Amino acid sequence: MAETTQLELVTPANIMVQKPVQMVVAPGSEGLFGVLPRHAPLLSDLTRGIVEVHENGSVASRIMIDGGLADVSGESVTILTERAEDLGSADRDAIKARAEEASGAEADFLNAVLAAL
Amino acid sequence: MPSLKDLKTRINSVKSTQKITSAMKMVAAAKLRRAQDSAEKGRPYADRMQKIVNSLASKADPTSAPQLLVGNGKDNTHLLVVMSADRGLCGGFNGSITRQARNEVTRLRGEGKTVKLLMVGRKSADALRRELGDAYIDSLEGIQGTAVQYADAASIGETVRNGFEAGEFDVCTLIFNKFKSAISQEVTLKRLIPAEIGEDTQDDDAGVAYEYEPDEEELLAAVLPRNISTQVYSALLESSAAELAARMTAMDNATRNAGDLIERLTLVYNRTRQATITKELIEIISGAEAV
Protein backbone atom coordinates (compact mmCIF):
# COMPACT_ATOMS: atom_id res chain seq x y z
CA MET A 1 0.00 0.00 0.00
CA ALA A 2 1.44 3.29 -1.06
CA GLU A 3 1.74 6.14 1.38
CA THR A 4 -1.41 8.25 1.73
CA THR A 5 -2.46 11.66 2.97
CA GLN A 6 -5.73 12.33 4.75
CA LEU A 7 -8.06 14.42 2.59
CA GLU A 8 -10.87 16.39 4.20
CA LEU A 9 -13.21 18.46 2.09
CA VAL A 10 -15.40 20.52 4.39
CA THR A 11 -18.35 22.74 3.47
CA PRO A 12 -20.42 24.78 5.94
CA ALA A 13 -23.14 22.13 5.81
CA ASN A 14 -21.08 18.97 6.20
CA ILE A 15 -17.82 17.11 5.74
CA MET A 16 -18.05 15.98 2.15
CA VAL A 17 -14.99 13.81 1.83
CA GLN A 18 -12.87 12.32 4.57
CA LYS A 19 -10.53 9.58 3.49
CA PRO A 20 -6.88 8.74 2.93
CA VAL A 21 -5.80 9.36 -0.66
CA GLN A 22 -2.60 9.19 -2.67
CA MET A 23 -2.66 12.62 -4.23
CA VAL A 24 -4.87 15.67 -4.41
CA VAL A 25 -4.71 18.26 -7.15
CA ALA A 26 -6.27 21.56 -6.06
CA PRO A 27 -6.96 24.79 -7.97
CA GLY A 28 -4.81 27.32 -6.12
CA SER A 29 -5.27 31.00 -6.80
CA GLU A 30 -1.79 30.98 -8.33
CA GLY A 31 -2.23 27.83 -10.33
CA LEU A 32 -3.01 24.17 -9.87
CA PHE A 33 -0.96 22.33 -7.31
CA GLY A 34 -0.66 18.70 -6.43
CA VAL A 35 -0.31 17.47 -2.88
CA LEU A 36 1.41 14.21 -2.10
CA PRO A 37 2.05 12.73 1.34
CA ARG A 38 4.73 14.57 3.32
CA HIS A 39 4.06 17.81 1.48
CA ALA A 40 5.53 20.89 3.16
CA PRO A 41 2.97 22.82 5.27
CA LEU A 42 1.09 25.16 2.98
CA LEU A 43 -1.88 27.46 3.34
CA SER A 44 -3.33 28.47 0.01
CA ASP A 45 -6.26 30.38 -1.36
CA LEU A 46 -8.29 28.42 -3.90
CA THR A 47 -10.28 29.58 -6.89
CA ARG A 48 -13.28 27.99 -8.49
CA GLY A 49 -12.14 24.79 -10.14
CA ILE A 50 -11.89 21.06 -9.86
CA VAL A 51 -10.24 19.14 -7.05
CA GLU A 52 -8.90 15.86 -8.40
CA VAL A 53 -8.53 12.99 -5.99
CA HIS A 54 -6.00 10.37 -7.06
CA GLU A 55 -6.15 6.86 -5.72
CA ASN A 56 -4.23 3.82 -6.94
CA GLY A 57 -2.53 5.81 -9.63
CA SER A 58 -5.65 7.17 -11.32
CA VAL A 59 -8.24 9.90 -10.76
CA ALA A 60 -10.80 8.44 -8.36
CA SER A 61 -13.10 11.42 -8.14
CA ARG A 62 -13.40 14.99 -9.31
CA ILE A 63 -15.08 17.59 -7.13
CA MET A 64 -15.93 21.07 -8.29
CA ILE A 65 -15.41 23.72 -5.62
CA ASP A 66 -16.30 27.38 -5.54
CA GLY A 67 -13.09 28.83 -4.20
CA GLY A 68 -11.95 28.34 -0.65
CA LEU A 69 -8.88 27.50 1.34
CA ALA A 70 -6.50 24.59 1.48
CA ASP A 71 -4.60 23.79 4.65
CA VAL A 72 -1.88 21.31 3.81
CA SER A 73 0.34 19.57 6.32
CA GLY A 74 2.54 16.54 6.03
CA GLU A 75 -0.25 14.11 6.84
CA SER A 76 -3.40 15.90 5.78
CA VAL A 77 -5.07 18.17 3.27
CA THR A 78 -8.04 20.16 4.53
CA ILE A 79 -10.06 21.99 1.92
CA LEU A 80 -12.61 24.51 3.15
CA THR A 81 -15.11 25.64 0.56
CA GLU A 82 -18.50 27.28 0.61
CA ARG A 83 -19.91 25.15 -2.19
CA ALA A 84 -18.86 21.83 -3.62
CA GLU A 85 -20.34 19.37 -6.06
CA ASP A 86 -19.03 15.87 -6.77
CA LEU A 87 -18.85 15.63 -10.55
CA GLY A 88 -18.82 11.84 -10.47
CA SER A 89 -22.16 11.46 -8.75
CA ALA A 90 -23.80 14.67 -9.93
CA ASP A 91 -27.09 14.41 -11.74
CA ARG A 92 -27.25 16.84 -14.63
CA ASP A 93 -31.03 17.34 -14.46
CA ALA A 94 -31.06 17.81 -10.70
CA ILE A 95 -28.33 20.45 -10.91
CA LYS A 96 -30.10 22.18 -13.77
CA ALA A 97 -33.25 22.37 -11.68
CA ARG A 98 -31.32 23.74 -8.68
CA ALA A 99 -29.50 26.26 -10.87
CA GLU A 100 -32.81 27.60 -12.11
CA GLU A 101 -34.13 27.96 -8.57
CA ALA A 102 -30.99 29.47 -7.07
CA SER A 103 -29.81 33.00 -7.53
CA GLY A 104 -26.58 34.97 -7.34
CA ALA A 105 -23.34 33.15 -6.57
CA GLU A 106 -25.08 29.83 -6.04
CA ALA A 107 -26.67 29.81 -9.52
CA ASP A 108 -23.42 30.98 -11.01
CA PHE A 109 -21.57 28.08 -9.44
CA LEU A 110 -24.16 25.50 -10.47
CA ASN A 111 -24.00 26.71 -14.07
CA ALA A 112 -20.24 26.30 -13.95
CA VAL A 113 -20.76 22.78 -12.64
CA LEU A 114 -23.11 22.07 -15.56
CA ALA A 115 -20.52 23.33 -17.97
CA ALA A 116 -17.88 21.08 -16.44
CA LEU A 117 -20.02 17.94 -16.51
CA MET B 1 -69.97 28.00 42.15
CA PRO B 2 -69.63 27.34 38.41
CA SER B 3 -72.33 25.20 36.89
CA LEU B 4 -71.65 21.68 35.68
CA LYS B 5 -71.96 22.78 32.08
CA ASP B 6 -69.41 25.56 32.58
CA LEU B 7 -66.96 23.12 34.10
CA LYS B 8 -67.45 20.65 31.26
CA THR B 9 -66.72 23.37 28.67
CA ARG B 10 -63.66 24.47 30.60
CA ILE B 11 -62.29 20.95 30.81
CA ASN B 12 -62.80 20.41 27.09
CA SER B 13 -61.08 23.64 26.23
CA VAL B 14 -58.07 22.79 28.39
CA LYS B 15 -57.99 19.35 26.81
CA SER B 16 -57.79 20.76 23.31
CA THR B 17 -55.07 23.21 24.37
CA GLN B 18 -53.18 20.26 25.77
CA LYS B 19 -53.49 18.45 22.45
CA ILE B 20 -52.01 21.46 20.66
CA THR B 21 -49.12 21.90 23.09
CA SER B 22 -48.24 18.22 23.04
CA ALA B 23 -48.31 18.21 19.22
CA MET B 24 -46.08 21.29 19.18
CA LYS B 25 -43.74 19.58 21.58
CA MET B 26 -43.43 16.57 19.34
CA VAL B 27 -42.91 18.68 16.23
CA ALA B 28 -40.21 20.68 18.02
CA ALA B 29 -38.53 17.50 19.21
CA ALA B 30 -38.42 16.07 15.70
CA LYS B 31 -37.12 19.30 14.22
CA LEU B 32 -34.63 19.68 17.05
CA ARG B 33 -33.02 16.42 16.11
CA ARG B 34 -32.48 17.69 12.58
CA ALA B 35 -31.31 21.14 13.69
CA GLN B 36 -28.90 19.62 16.18
CA ASP B 37 -27.61 17.37 13.47
CA SER B 38 -26.93 20.22 11.09
CA ALA B 39 -25.40 22.29 13.88
CA GLU B 40 -23.01 19.42 14.52
CA LYS B 41 -22.25 19.01 10.84
CA GLY B 42 -21.54 22.71 10.56
CA ARG B 43 -19.07 22.72 13.40
CA PRO B 44 -16.02 21.25 11.59
CA TYR B 45 -16.05 24.04 9.00
CA ALA B 46 -16.23 26.76 11.63
CA ASP B 47 -13.57 25.10 13.78
CA ARG B 48 -11.10 24.73 10.95
CA MET B 49 -11.79 28.24 9.74
CA GLN B 50 -11.10 29.55 13.24
CA LYS B 51 -7.89 27.56 13.38
CA ILE B 52 -6.66 29.02 10.11
CA VAL B 53 -7.58 32.54 11.19
CA ASN B 54 -5.78 32.01 14.49
CA SER B 55 -2.63 30.77 12.84
CA LEU B 56 -2.66 33.57 10.28
CA ALA B 57 -3.44 36.21 12.85
CA SER B 58 -0.60 35.15 15.11
CA LYS B 59 1.81 35.80 12.26
CA ALA B 60 0.28 39.00 10.95
CA ASP B 61 1.95 42.31 11.60
CA PRO B 62 -0.44 44.26 13.86
CA THR B 63 0.37 47.59 12.24
CA SER B 64 -0.48 46.57 8.71
CA ALA B 65 -3.05 43.84 9.37
CA PRO B 66 -6.48 44.20 7.78
CA GLN B 67 -8.98 46.28 9.72
CA LEU B 68 -11.39 43.37 9.91
CA LEU B 69 -8.87 41.71 12.18
CA VAL B 70 -7.60 44.53 14.36
CA GLY B 71 -10.44 47.03 14.04
CA ASN B 72 -10.16 50.55 12.71
CA GLY B 73 -8.76 51.95 15.93
CA LYS B 74 -12.01 53.58 16.98
CA ASP B 75 -14.65 52.45 19.40
CA ASN B 76 -17.46 54.95 18.91
CA THR B 77 -20.20 53.18 17.04
CA HIS B 78 -21.27 49.64 17.86
CA LEU B 79 -23.33 47.36 15.69
CA LEU B 80 -25.23 44.63 17.52
CA VAL B 81 -26.56 41.73 15.48
CA VAL B 82 -29.40 40.31 17.57
CA MET B 83 -30.68 36.83 16.74
CA SER B 84 -34.08 35.85 18.03
CA ALA B 85 -36.81 33.56 16.74
CA ASP B 86 -39.50 34.40 14.22
CA ARG B 87 -42.12 32.67 16.29
CA GLY B 88 -43.11 32.68 19.92
CA LEU B 89 -44.21 29.93 22.29
CA CYS B 90 -40.68 28.99 23.15
CA GLY B 91 -40.43 29.99 26.79
CA GLY B 92 -37.81 32.53 27.76
CA PHE B 93 -35.91 32.21 24.49
CA ASN B 94 -36.89 35.51 22.91
CA GLY B 95 -37.24 37.26 26.24
CA SER B 96 -33.68 36.60 27.33
CA ILE B 97 -32.26 37.71 23.98
CA THR B 98 -34.33 40.88 24.07
CA ARG B 99 -33.30 41.60 27.64
CA GLN B 100 -29.64 41.07 26.88
CA ALA B 101 -29.85 43.30 23.81
CA ARG B 102 -31.57 46.05 25.80
CA ASN B 103 -28.97 45.86 28.59
CA GLU B 104 -26.16 45.98 26.10
CA VAL B 105 -27.63 49.02 24.37
CA THR B 106 -28.11 50.77 27.71
CA ARG B 107 -24.58 49.94 28.77
CA LEU B 108 -23.02 51.17 25.54
CA ARG B 109 -25.12 54.33 25.48
CA GLY B 110 -24.12 54.92 29.08
CA GLU B 111 -20.52 54.93 27.91
CA GLY B 112 -21.41 57.54 25.34
CA LYS B 113 -21.28 55.25 22.32
CA THR B 114 -23.64 55.18 19.39
CA VAL B 115 -25.48 51.91 18.91
CA LYS B 116 -26.90 50.43 15.74
CA LEU B 117 -28.92 47.27 15.57
CA LEU B 118 -29.33 44.57 12.97
CA MET B 119 -32.23 42.39 13.99
CA VAL B 120 -32.48 38.81 12.77
CA GLY B 121 -35.79 37.19 13.67
CA ARG B 122 -39.14 38.85 14.13
CA LYS B 123 -39.74 38.51 17.86
CA SER B 124 -36.99 40.67 19.30
CA ALA B 125 -37.34 43.13 16.44
CA ASP B 126 -40.99 43.63 17.36
CA ALA B 127 -40.29 43.80 21.06
CA LEU B 128 -37.65 46.51 20.77
CA ARG B 129 -39.07 48.44 17.83
CA ARG B 130 -40.85 51.04 19.92
CA GLU B 131 -37.95 51.99 22.17
CA LEU B 132 -35.01 51.35 19.86
CA GLY B 133 -36.55 51.30 16.38
CA ASP B 134 -34.59 54.35 15.29
CA ALA B 135 -31.32 52.45 15.82
CA TYR B 136 -32.33 49.61 13.46
CA ILE B 137 -30.36 49.43 10.27
CA ASP B 138 -32.36 46.42 9.14
CA SER B 139 -34.55 43.65 10.47
CA LEU B 140 -34.63 40.29 8.77
CA GLU B 141 -37.16 37.49 8.97
CA GLY B 142 -37.58 33.95 7.79
CA ILE B 143 -33.93 33.01 7.95
CA GLN B 144 -34.10 30.68 10.88
CA GLY B 145 -35.98 27.45 10.82
CA THR B 146 -35.12 23.85 10.33
CA ALA B 147 -32.87 24.46 7.34
CA VAL B 148 -30.57 27.42 7.78
CA GLN B 149 -29.05 28.33 4.43
CA TYR B 150 -25.41 29.31 4.24
CA ALA B 151 -26.37 31.83 1.56
CA ASP B 152 -28.45 33.75 4.11
CA ALA B 153 -25.54 33.86 6.53
CA ALA B 154 -23.28 34.99 3.73
CA SER B 155 -25.60 37.86 2.87
CA ILE B 156 -25.74 38.98 6.52
CA GLY B 157 -21.96 38.73 6.55
CA GLU B 158 -21.81 40.90 3.48
CA THR B 159 -24.11 43.51 5.00
CA VAL B 160 -21.88 43.66 8.06
CA ARG B 161 -18.73 43.88 5.99
CA ASN B 162 -20.03 46.58 3.69
CA GLY B 163 -21.24 48.60 6.65
CA PHE B 164 -17.85 48.32 8.30
CA GLU B 165 -15.99 49.30 5.17
CA ALA B 166 -18.29 52.27 4.69
CA GLY B 167 -17.38 53.34 8.22
CA GLU B 168 -20.92 52.99 9.58
CA PHE B 169 -19.68 51.32 12.74
CA ASP B 170 -16.40 50.40 14.43
CA VAL B 171 -17.22 47.30 16.44
CA CYS B 172 -19.65 44.50 15.63
CA THR B 173 -21.02 42.01 18.13
CA LEU B 174 -23.36 39.06 17.71
CA ILE B 175 -25.95 38.34 20.37
CA PHE B 176 -27.50 34.91 20.11
CA ASN B 177 -28.67 31.93 22.09
CA LYS B 178 -26.12 29.18 22.19
CA PHE B 179 -27.42 25.65 22.25
CA LYS B 180 -26.03 23.99 25.34
CA SER B 181 -28.36 21.07 25.73
CA ALA B 182 -31.99 20.25 25.08
CA ILE B 183 -32.94 21.95 28.32
CA SER B 184 -30.62 24.90 28.51
CA GLN B 185 -29.59 27.74 26.26
CA GLU B 186 -27.08 30.41 26.98
CA VAL B 187 -27.19 33.97 25.72
CA THR B 188 -23.81 34.57 24.14
CA LEU B 189 -22.05 37.69 22.95
CA LYS B 190 -19.49 37.17 20.25
CA ARG B 191 -17.39 39.93 18.79
CA LEU B 192 -17.14 39.77 15.02
CA ILE B 193 -15.12 42.89 14.25
CA PRO B 194 -12.35 43.16 15.35
CA ALA B 195 -12.06 39.38 15.07
CA GLU B 196 -11.91 37.32 18.21
CA ILE B 197 -8.71 35.36 18.25
CA GLY B 198 -8.64 32.18 20.29
CA GLU B 199 -6.02 31.58 22.94
CA ASP B 200 -4.87 28.30 21.53
CA THR B 201 -2.72 29.72 18.78
CA GLN B 202 0.25 27.81 20.08
CA ASP B 203 -1.09 24.34 19.40
CA ASP B 204 0.22 21.55 17.21
CA ASP B 205 1.46 23.67 14.33
CA ALA B 206 3.46 26.03 16.46
CA GLY B 207 6.96 26.13 15.09
CA VAL B 208 5.94 24.67 11.76
CA ALA B 209 6.94 27.03 9.00
CA TYR B 210 3.91 27.40 6.80
CA GLU B 211 4.23 28.38 3.22
CA TYR B 212 1.62 30.87 2.13
CA GLU B 213 0.17 31.24 -1.30
CA PRO B 214 -0.40 34.13 -2.01
CA ASP B 215 1.35 35.89 0.91
CA GLU B 216 0.00 36.13 4.45
CA GLU B 217 -1.60 39.55 4.10
CA GLU B 218 -3.52 38.71 0.96
CA LEU B 219 -4.56 35.39 2.38
CA LEU B 220 -5.74 37.04 5.58
CA ALA B 221 -7.71 39.56 3.55
CA ALA B 222 -9.39 36.69 1.72
CA VAL B 223 -10.08 34.62 4.82
CA LEU B 224 -11.49 37.27 7.17
CA PRO B 225 -14.64 38.05 5.16
CA ARG B 226 -15.37 34.34 4.88
CA ASN B 227 -14.73 33.96 8.58
CA ILE B 228 -17.42 36.55 9.34
CA SER B 229 -19.99 34.69 7.24
CA THR B 230 -18.97 31.45 8.89
CA GLN B 231 -19.36 32.89 12.37
CA VAL B 232 -22.79 34.23 11.46
CA TYR B 233 -23.73 30.86 10.00
CA SER B 234 -22.70 28.91 13.05
CA ALA B 235 -24.51 31.40 15.29
CA LEU B 236 -27.65 30.93 13.19
CA LEU B 237 -27.37 27.17 13.48
CA GLU B 238 -26.88 27.36 17.24
CA SER B 239 -29.75 29.76 17.61
CA SER B 240 -32.11 27.61 15.55
CA ALA B 241 -31.29 24.52 17.55
CA ALA B 242 -31.65 26.49 20.79
CA GLU B 243 -35.02 27.86 19.70
CA LEU B 244 -36.40 24.39 19.02
CA ALA B 245 -34.99 23.09 22.28
CA ALA B 246 -36.59 25.98 24.16
CA ARG B 247 -39.89 25.38 22.43
CA MET B 248 -39.78 21.69 23.23
CA THR B 249 -39.17 22.36 26.92
CA ALA B 250 -41.80 25.08 27.08
CA MET B 251 -44.40 22.94 25.38
CA ASP B 252 -43.56 19.97 27.56
CA ASN B 253 -44.20 22.10 30.64
CA ALA B 254 -47.40 23.48 29.13
CA THR B 255 -48.64 19.96 28.43
CA ARG B 256 -47.90 18.92 31.98
CA ASN B 257 -49.59 22.00 33.43
CA ALA B 258 -52.63 21.39 31.27
CA GLY B 259 -52.73 17.84 32.62
CA ASP B 260 -52.67 19.13 36.22
CA LEU B 261 -55.39 21.63 35.43
CA ILE B 262 -57.58 18.97 33.86
CA GLU B 263 -57.16 16.79 36.94
CA ARG B 264 -58.16 19.62 39.27
CA LEU B 265 -61.11 20.66 37.16
CA THR B 266 -62.33 17.07 36.89
CA LEU B 267 -62.21 16.81 40.66
CA VAL B 268 -64.31 19.96 41.05
CA TYR B 269 -66.64 18.70 38.37
CA ASN B 270 -67.20 15.39 40.14
CA ARG B 271 -67.65 17.06 43.51
CA THR B 272 -70.22 19.43 42.07
CA ARG B 273 -72.07 16.57 40.40
CA GLN B 274 -72.07 14.63 43.64
CA ALA B 275 -73.31 17.65 45.57
CA THR B 276 -76.16 18.15 43.11
CA ILE B 277 -77.23 14.51 43.43
CA THR B 278 -77.11 14.66 47.23
CA LYS B 279 -79.13 17.83 47.21
CA GLU B 280 -81.77 16.27 44.98
CA LEU B 281 -81.95 13.18 47.20
CA ILE B 282 -82.42 15.34 50.29
CA GLU B 283 -85.19 17.19 48.54
CA ILE B 284 -86.98 13.95 47.62
CA ILE B 285 -86.61 12.47 51.11
CA SER B 286 -87.73 15.58 52.91
CA GLY B 287 -90.64 15.85 50.47
CA ALA B 288 -91.66 12.26 51.23
CA GLU B 289 -91.40 12.85 54.99
CA ALA B 290 -93.61 15.86 54.77
CA VAL B 291 -96.48 13.86 53.29
Side-chain angles (χ1 to χ4, degrees):
Chain A
M1 184 74 191
E3 214 175 331
T4 56
T5 180
Q6 178 76 13
L7 169 69
E8 278 186 355
L9 203 150
V10 190
T11 67
N14 58 4
I15 298 182
M16 230 176 110
V17 183
Q18 191 170 34
K19 61 177 178 192
V21 299
Q22 274 182 346
M23 180 168 85
V24 183
V25 177
S29 60
E30 296 183 348
L32 288 176
F33 62 89
V35 180
L36 286 160
R38 284 188 278 159
H39 191 285
L42 166 76
L43 203 53
S44 173
D45 200 18
L46 301 177
T47 59
R48 176 181 295 171
I50 294 167
V51 175
E52 279 181 355
V53 181
H54 291 250
E55 273 173 295
N56 303 324
S58 63
V59 179
S61 57
R62 296 165 76 232
I63 300 158
M64 180 103 174
I65 61 162
D66 194 17
L69 283 168
D71 181 359
V72 179
S73 75
E75 314 86 50
S76 69
V77 185
T78 307
I79 295 178
L80 296 179
T81 178
E82 290 182 11
R83 296 176 200 88
E85 225 31 84
D86 189 339
L87 294 179
S89 63
D91 174 11
R92 185 177 279 273
D93 294 335
I95 290 186
K96 205 170 217 167
R98 272 167 56 203
E100 272 160 25
E101 245 175 61
S103 62
E106 176 89 28
D108 198 35
F109 172 67
L110 289 171
N111 284 324
V113 170
L114 275 180
L117 268 176
Chain B
M1 193 79 176
S3 76
L4 276 180
K5 187 162 174 288
D6 288 344
L7 278 170
K8 194 83 205 156
T9 334
R10 184 82 203 282
I11 291 173
N12 283 334
S13 119
V14 177
K15 270 187 183 155
S16 52
T17 309
Q18 189 190 30
K19 269 184 206 147
I20 296 171
T21 56
S22 86
M24 281 185 79
K25 181 203 150 192
M26 278 181 301
V27 171
K31 283 184 175 171
L32 172 64
R33 210 163 308 136
R34 248 181 300 161
Q36 217 177 329
D37 199 38
S38 58
E40 266 155 30
K41 279 188 181 154
R43 233 165 255 162
Y45 188 81
D47 287 350
R48 290 181 170 80
M49 185 68 95
Q50 186 71 50
K51 215 177 125 199
I52 290 177
V53 171
N54 285 351
S55 99
L56 278 170
S58 63
K59 280 160 192 123
D61 175 8
T63 51
S64 64
Q67 294 198 328
L68 284 177
L69 180 66
V70 294
N72 57 5
K74 286 183 288 182
D75 183 27
N76 301 327
T77 311
H78 285 244
L79 175 72
L80 303 178
V81 182
V82 182
M83 293 181 180
S84 69
D86 281 337
R87 299 195 300 150
L89 291 179
C90 43
F93 180 86
N94 291 315
S96 50
I97 279 288
T98 310
R99 198 173 332 113
Q100 183 72 38
R102 189 183 289 125
N103 290 347
E104 199 58 19
V105 170
T106 317
R107 187 181 69 80
L108 288 168
R109 284 194 174 158
E111 291 172 12
K113 314 251 199 283
T114 317
V115 180
K116 290 180 179 175
L117 293 164
L118 175 60
M119 311 299 283
V120 180
R122 191 164 57 89
K123 279 291 166 183
S124 279
D126 287 352
L128 293 173
R129 182 161 281 126
R130 201 169 339 148
E131 44 182 313
L132 300 169
D134 49 342
Y136 285 12
I137 59 169
D138 205 355
S139 73
L140 308 162
E141 281 178 31
I143 286 175
Q144 290 173 83
T146 20
V148 181
Q149 297 296 322
Y150 183 76
D152 291 326
S155 82
I156 296 175
E158 205 173 318
T159 315
V160 169
R161 231 152 43 226
N162 292 343
F164 180 73
E165 271 154 24
E168 281 166 27
F169 55 88
D170 309 314
V171 177
C172 176
T173 311
L174 283 177
I175 302 181
F176 65 101
N177 269 308
K178 197 181 179 78
F179 176 81
K180 277 181 74 184
S181 71
I183 47 162
S184 77
Q185 303 85 38
E186 189 180 49
V187 179
T188 310
L189 274 78
K190 190 172 178 73
R191 208 181 59 214
L192 269 189
I193 304 173
E196 245 175 37
I197 301 302
E199 296 297 311
D200 54 345
T201 44
Q202 303 300 322
D203 55 6
D204 48 349
D205 43 57
V208 178
Y210 260 95
E211 228 176 287
Y212 296 96
E213 191 178 316
D215 58 46
E216 280 118 307
E217 309 254 306
E218 264 178 74
L219 207 49
L220 201 51
V223 172
L224 286 170
R226 288 194 201 132
N227 186 42
I228 290 180
S229 303
T230 308
Q231 301 291 354
V232 173
Y233 183 66
S234 66
L236 280 175
L237 286 175
E238 293 277 350
S239 167
S240 295
E243 175 194 341
L244 290 165
R247 178 165 298 123
M248 191 179 85
T249 320
M251 288 300 112
D252 187 37
N253 286 336
T255 309
R256 204 165 314 135
N257 287 343
D260 289 351
L261 194 56
I262 289 172
E263 232 166 72
R264 270 211 308 280
L265 284 172
T266 315
L267 196 65
V268 177
Y269 176 81
N270 287 340
R271 282 223 183 104
T272 316
R273 190 171 52 96
Q274 203 62 55
T276 321
I277 293 169
T278 317
K279 207 175 84 195
E280 277 169 7
L281 276 178
I282 292 173
E283 273 166 11
I284 291 167
I285 293 165
S286 49
E289 272 177 1
V291 172

